Every structure is written in structure tokens, then in C-alpha cells.
Amino acid sequence: MSMTSQTQRWLDSTLKMLGCVKDLTHSKCKAPVKEELASALHGALVHISKLIEEVRRLTEESAELEEKLEESMETSVHLSQASGETLVLQQKLLDSQETVVQLQKQLLDSKEEQLRAVTTSVKTSVQETVKEEFKTYSSVVKSGQQQRTPVTPTNIVSVVKKVVEEEDRSRNIMVFGLVEGESEDLVKKVGDVMEKIGEKPRMEVCRVGKAKDGKPRPVKITLSSSLNVSQILSKSRRLGETALYKTVFLSPDRSYEQRAEHRTLVVDLKRRKTAEPNKRHFIRNGTVNSVEKTAAQL
């Protein structure tokens, strides 16, 4: 039963005890005796005490409700902030995923370009080799001699393999004289060399050969195309102008036969430099060339 109902019941009971009809006006109530007044006063005090206790309880409940409301509002603010941070993180994740997709697309485009280049080179080389083989066969038939190099599937496979290897090497650069360490960051080392000549290509790097005491192994750099190789090699002489990389030099990735031919050219180059010191000697297109030095070079 609510406090309002209890109060109304107490008031009705007191009025009845005092002989009052509707209200507390003296004219409508009988003259109360001392016992009735004492009883009514006692009842009033008891009822007031209950009211005070009820007010205290309601005040405490109100305070608790206010604390819970404040906590609820703080939680709401935190949830709102967390929601905002979640949205920011979701956007960053979407941006990162978009970046990854773009990089994957660039990688696929690069691989497709390399595949087309290899396919074209293989087709051209095979066609040229087959034509040469058929020319040889035709000339042999006409001359009545025995055919020396028959066109067979094995020969064609050998030609294709050679062309593919040449295509792979055309995208490589060899670095000689780069100091080697036990736990080296090879990508950074090669990147620093590239920066010295004004290049910053996408590349794969690795050491090749067996380790020898006191002698660093060569580094093989694989680039995305042979055009990048030509561009970097054309700037490689700049390394000789720096104190840090004066003993580091770059060269194409040559086959065993090409290395043997190049060693012969180097021997000839050294001989000419000794015999003709007033000329500038250099290797170009598979031959040793000599030109007169300019006034600035003398």
C-alpha cells in the first residue's frame, strides 16, 4: 500500500475518532476528551515518523538513481568514443586493403609484362633458329653433303631453354666488391648503392657462390625488366667517384661463355692501357676501343 493511501486512512480514522464529519473545523467536530486528543496526537507522531522514514528512503533511492544515471551517461560517452574509434580503424583497414589490392594489381601487371616479353623473345628466337636450321638443311641437301645439325625436338627444346636463361639474365645485375657481414641487411646495403647513382628500383637481392675468407661474395640483383638494368649500368661509373664505393662495381649477369670472352677482353684492355697510356681505352659491344684523351683527361 502506498504512503498516500496510508495517510488518507489515518486521516479518516482520526476524524472519525474526533467526531468530525468532513474536515477539522471546530464547529463540525464534537468536543474531544483528553484521551482522544492524546490518542490522536500519538497517532499523528507515529504517522509523521513513518513519513519521515519514507522520505529518507526515497531520498536514498533518488541518490542511487542519480549515481546510476551518471554512470550510464559516462558509459554512453565511452561507447560513443569507442564507436568513433572503431569507425576510424575500419576506415584505416579499408584503406590498407585498397593499397594491398593496388600493389597486387601492379605486381600482376609487371608479371604479365615479363611473361609477354619472354614469350616474344622465345618465339622470335625459336623462329630464327628453326629458319637457320632449315637453311642449313636445304644447303646440305643441295650440296649433297650430310646434314650436320638436324632440326629435332631436342634441339628446339635446347634453344628455348637457352633463350629463357638469356631472358632471365637480362634482368639481373651482378655487384662485386660489396662488403659482406654475418648478419647483414643486404637489401639496405644494395639500396644504399643504388641511391648513390640516383636509382631506387624494386628489386630482389641475394649473395651467390661459396664464401671465401676475406673476399665478399658477389650479389645478384633481379629487376623487373632489362630496361632497368641498362639504365642502372649506364650510371654505374659514378660509384668510382665516391670514397665509400670506389671498389664496388656493377656488371651484367653473364653466362659462362660470356664471362670467358669478357676476361679475354679485360686482358686486352689492360695490355692496351700499358702500351698506350695517352689514350682512353674501354670495352663496348664486345670489343676493346681506344680513343685519344681530351685535354681535361691528360
Side-chain angles (χ1 to χ4, degrees):
M1 182 181 297
S2 67
M3 184 57 65
T4 302
S5 299
Q6 292 178 1
T7 301
Q8 186 63 46
R9 286 188 59 187
W10 171 82
L11 183 59
D12 292 342
S13 175
T14 302
L15 289 174
K16 184 178 180 181
M17 180 184 65
L18 295 175
C20 299
V21 179
K22 291 293 184 181
D23 50 35
L24 294 175
T25 59
H26 180 69
S27 59
K28 295 184 179 180
C29 295
K30 71 178 183 179
V33 296
K34 183 178 178 180
E35 289 78 6
E36 290 175 342
L37 287 174
S39 177
L41 180 59
H42 177 267
L45 291 174
V46 171
H47 189 67
I48 290 172
S49 177
K50 291 182 179 180
L51 287 175
I52 292 173
E53 187 65 28
E54 183 68 13
V55 169
R56 184 183 293 111
R57 185 183 65 80
L58 292 175
T59 301
E60 291 176 355
E61 289 183 356
S62 177
E64 291 179 358
L65 288 175
E66 286 182 359
E67 290 180 1
K68 291 181 179 180
L69 180 60
E70 290 179 358
E71 292 177 357
S72 177
M73 292 179 65
E74 291 178 358
T75 303
S76 178
V77 171
H78 292 159
L79 289 175
S80 178
Q81 293 175 348
S83 177
E85 293 175 357
T86 301
L87 291 175
V88 171
L89 291 175
Q90 288 177 342
Q91 185 60 45
K92 288 183 178 180
L93 177 60
L94 291 175
D95 294 341
S96 299
Q97 290 174 342
E98 184 177 353
T99 301
V100 170
V101 171
Q102 291 176 353
L103 291 175
Q104 289 176 339
K105 185 177 183 301
Q106 292 177 3
L107 179 61
L108 289 174
D109 293 342
S110 176
K111 293 296 184 182
E112 288 178 359
E113 180 182 352
Q114 294 175 19
L115 181 59
R116 286 195 297 269
V118 171
T119 302
T120 302
S121 299
V122 169
K123 286 182 178 180
T124 303
S125 299
V126 170
Q127 290 173 354
E128 291 177 354
T129 303
V130 171
K131 286 181 181 178
E132 290 298 324
E133 295 292 349
F134 274 114
K135 285 181 181 179
T136 303
Y137 177 78
S138 178
S139 61
V140 169
V141 170
K142 290 180 180 179
S143 61
Q145 300 176 0
Q146 183 180 1
Q147 185 181 1
R148 296 180 180 179
T149 310
V151 180
T152 64
T154 302
N155 289 343
I156 293 177
V157 170
S158 177
V159 170
V160 171
K161 183 179 178 181
K162 183 177 180 181
V163 170
V164 172
E165 290 176 352
E166 288 292 336
E167 176 62 24
D168 288 341
R169 277 196 297 270
S170 70
R171 296 188 294 110
N172 297 338
I173 292 178
M174 301 301 297
V175 183
F176 297 91
L178 188 61
V179 178
E180 182 175 1
E182 292 183 359
S183 57
E184 62 182 355
D185 187 347
L186 191 56
V187 174
K188 185 179 184 306
K189 277 188 177 181
V190 177
D192 292 342
V193 173
M194 294 293 105
E195 286 185 4
K196 284 294 181 182
I197 59 176
E199 293 288 336
K200 196 174 181 180
R202 290 186 298 173
M203 58 187 177
E204 297 176 4
V205 298
C206 65
R207 294 274 184 184
V208 295
K210 294 182 179 180
K212 296 181 180 179
D213 293 338
K215 186 176 181 181
R217 291 176 295 165
V219 177
K220 182 172 74 172
I221 305 174
T222 300
L223 303 171
S224 58
S225 70
S226 57
L227 293 177
N228 292 342
V229 171
S230 300
Q231 181 175 332
I232 291 173
L233 289 177
S234 67
K235 300 179 180 180
S236 62
R237 66 178 62 184
R238 298 180 187 176
L239 294 175
E241 302 171 359
T242 65
L244 184 60
Y245 299 114
K246 194 171 184 178
T247 59
V248 176
F249 63 96
L250 313 181
S251 75
D253 183 11
R254 300 184 177 96
S255 64
Y256 176 81
E257 294 80 5
Q258 290 171 334
R259 290 199 296 272
E261 293 175 1
H262 186 70
R263 282 195 291 269
T264 302
L265 292 173
V266 171
V267 171
D268 188 18
L269 177 66
K270 292 180 178 179
R271 180 185 61 77
R272 291 199 189 189
K273 285 183 177 180
T274 302
E276 300 175 295
N278 294 329
K279 291 185 178 181
R280 186 170 68 88
H281 309 281
F282 56 91
I283 297 173
R284 180 177 294 171
N285 298 327
T287 60
V288 178
N289 299 270
S290 303
V291 295
E292 296 294 336
K293 288 184 178 181
T294 63
Q297 292 173 336
L298 290 173

